[in-house]
Amino acid sequence: MRPRSCTSRWAERRGTRAGAVSLALASLALGGALARTELRPRSTGVSARTVAGVAPGVAAAPQDLVPGTPVALDLSDGAPQVCRVVVPEDVTGLALQTFDSDGDVEVYVSFGAPPDVDRGDYDIAAENVWFEEALVIEVSDVIALEAGAWYIAVVPANEGTTRSNVRAEFLRPASHRAVVGEVLDFELARANGLRANVALDLPVPRPSRGAGPTRWLVEVFSPTADVDVSVSASGFLSGFEDRYGWGGNFHSYERFHVEVPRFRRSMVLEVFGYQASEGAARVPVRVLVQRDEAPESVAALDICPVPTLAGPGVAFAASPFDSAARATVLVHGPYGTGSGVVVHPSGYVLSCAHVLVGSERVRDPEGALPAIAIGFTLDPKVIPVAAFGAELVELRQDLDLALVRITGDLLGRPLARSPLGANVAFPTLELAARPPLMGERMVGFGYPITGGTSSMVTLTLTSGWCSGFSREPEGLLLKTDAIVHSGDSGGPFVDVEGRLIGIAVASLADDDKGGGIGYVVPCALVPEAWRERLGW
């Protein structure tokens, strides 16, 4: 499973989605290397570790940063160098980057006063193992961007570091206008922090005896990225308490209801992607807002081109692995994404239990989408669309296996009433006659986090040998030197004829993250009751 890197203000609500407040951020509008970003309570005064070989304290006179203009820093004396940038009211994101450093540097940021690295008095720290650092602070972060002076301390991480450069950029969301009941297509741009405000004028509600709020159905869809949306009175600069609702599923489609005070004549959708997770300069998005009156609305997902499995094959080379690639699915659970494999033509899917933690509930908290979404690959060059909804059949935590069943489309409609079609034939795999022997080839399929530079990735194949076996309480697991990354969990391993061997469940590497061994649950360990259900 791969959790999403998240800098959302709603991290506390999401719990394990965001992890702790130590978050991985990439260099967003500015480009650059991946950073480990630490968020700290403001003005803690708690002692922090002092960077080895570096003088404590802060520089006496901060240098002013002008957005877009780099500032050269002299770090030869080993002391931190501090810059200041004043953020205006209309800015929703501050992007910072160091570059052209001759050694490793760390970045510490605080609001209102210079950071004191020796005392640990700072708000955010970016401490990368590489030379450069990059981070973005946004209005929706746990430590939220505020208008006013922000101070950036650049600290040499070793005695050999003598110089660096720092640059800042202000991020402002793009502005769009939509019409109720009409689809709006636009793009989220990295230059705008992958954020956009979509304003709508609301029609005057029909007369009613009561003065209750009006109810609206909000849908946002991207075919290439995980996008979220919040609905408020005034957009990204509004307070959290002023928001009417939000959608934050772990896939590319959001659908939820909001209630807006009857006297309101407008509302704003704040649509955003996660820059740390997206490598593209632009992310296509489709938005649709409608009155919540008809139970069968025209959803954004219906309007977008969605692959149907009933048609002829596309773009795969004829090989023993063709069926394996088609049967491998992208699995979105409540707290992250992983992989799976179709094991019955009626839509049964095997995956990992840890991918589907929390999916015991049938639908998400907003009641608009299934808790499990499934996407198929018909073309390995194209990111799959999570167009199908599924329900959990059973979990086996001891085996780290889960059995789910595709029940309809993503809106919960049976396939007979869905634009996906009533005659869908789900691809499936033939079982291998026996487990592999040590030294025999094993080929895995999945959607690893390393399979692309965006939050949604294309199908990836990995291959290796059966490296051995591991006797565990649950049975004999297969070991392989094939690369198994986060996101591959639940994906199939097949033999050289494309027949199913087992399910990828874990990988182990040494402390230096070198090498690594993948672990596969063989088909022989699938519970007998499941095997009977699947006709194995």
Side-chain angles (χ1 to χ4, degrees), residues 210-225:
T214 56
R215 187 172 168 87
W216 303 90
L217 177 63
V218 177
E219 298 173 275
V220 177
F221 173 77
S222 171
T224 64

Side-chain angles (χ1 to χ4, degrees), residues 324-350:
R326 293 176 182 277
T328 302
V329 294
L330 177 66
V331 179
H332 294 285
Y335 302 111
T337 65
S339 304
V341 58
V342 181
V343 288
H344 194 277
S346 63
Y348 282 101
V349 174
L350 274 179

Side-chain angles (χ1 to χ4, degrees), residues 278-513:
E278 306 303 335
R282 294 182 174 274
V283 172
V285 174
R286 173 162 283 185
V287 167
L288 178 63
V289 176
Q290 305 174 87
R291 288 183 181 275
D292 183 34
E293 294 176 344
E296 293 291 338
S297 65
V298 180
L301 186 64
D302 296 345
I303 299 168
C304 287
V306 175
T308 173
L309 302 179
V314 180
F316 279 103
S319 77
F321 306 131
D322 179 46
S323 296
R326 293 176 182 277
T328 302
V329 294
L330 177 66
V331 179
H332 294 285
Y335 302 111
T337 65
S339 304
V341 58
V342 181
V343 288
H344 194 277
S346 63
Y348 282 101
V349 174
L350 274 179
S351 185
C352 279
H354 72 263
V355 172
L356 295 166
V357 170
S359 58
E360 292 85 352
R361 65 175 193 268
V362 177
R363 308 184 74 80
D364 73 354
E366 303 294 339
L369 294 174
I372 304 171
I374 302 290
F376 283 83
T377 287
L378 296 186
D379 183 340
K381 299 185 293 295
V382 178
I383 296 171
V385 175
F388 296 88
E391 65 180 12
L392 180 67
V393 177
E394 190 174 349
L395 281 176
R396 280 289 300 270
Q397 297 283 3
D398 57 334
L399 295 169
D400 196 10
L401 290 181
L403 182 65
V404 304
R405 184 172 65 89
I406 297 172
T407 54
D409 68 13
L410 195 58
L411 303 187
R413 296 172 296 196
L415 294 177
R417 293 196 294 111
S418 168
L420 299 177
N423 299 316
V424 172
F426 295 113
T428 188
L429 288 183
E430 178 185 352
L431 291 181
R434 58 170 176 79
L437 303 176
M438 181 179 287
E440 291 188 326
R441 298 291 296 182
M442 296 175 62
V443 179
F445 293 83
Y447 297 90
I449 193 172
T450 53
T453 59
S454 297
S455 57
M456 301 295 168
V457 299
T458 52
L459 182 67
T460 300
L461 177 152
T462 181
S463 69
W465 306 99
C466 177
S467 303
F469 308 92
S470 179
R471 178 69 64 182
E472 304 294 338
E474 57 271 17
L476 193 65
L477 303 186
L478 308 177
K479 295 192 292 187
T480 178
D481 63 343
I483 298 173
V484 177
H485 279 299
S486 177
D488 281 323
S489 299
F493 266 86
V494 300
D495 62 17
V496 293
E497 299 298 327
R499 296 170 299 195
L500 184 62
I501 293 172
I503 304 299
V505 293
S507 63
L508 293 178
D510 58 29
D511 291 340
D512 295 325
K513 305 301 181 186

Side-chain angles (χ1 to χ4, degrees), residues 76-87:
S76 58
D77 63 356
Q81 296 297 304
V82 176
C83 297
R84 175 179 58 200
V85 60
V86 179
V87 175

Side-chain angles (χ1 to χ4, degrees), residues 79-140:
Q81 296 297 304
V82 176
C83 297
R84 175 179 58 200
V85 60
V86 179
V87 175
E89 292 281 352
D90 64 334
V91 168
T92 61
L94 172 62
L96 302 169
Q97 182 192 28
T98 64
F99 61 97
D100 290 342
S101 306
D102 64 351
D104 188 18
V105 297
E106 318 290 11
V107 173
Y108 301 86
V109 182
S110 63
F111 177 71
D116 189 323
V117 179
D118 187 46
R119 293 180 54 208
D121 192 359
Y122 54 85
D123 295 332
I124 304 170
E127 299 168 315
N128 202 332
V129 296
W130 301 296
F131 280 12
E132 313 297 1
E133 301 292 348
L135 60 89
V136 170
I137 311 166
E138 298 183 279
V139 293
S140 58

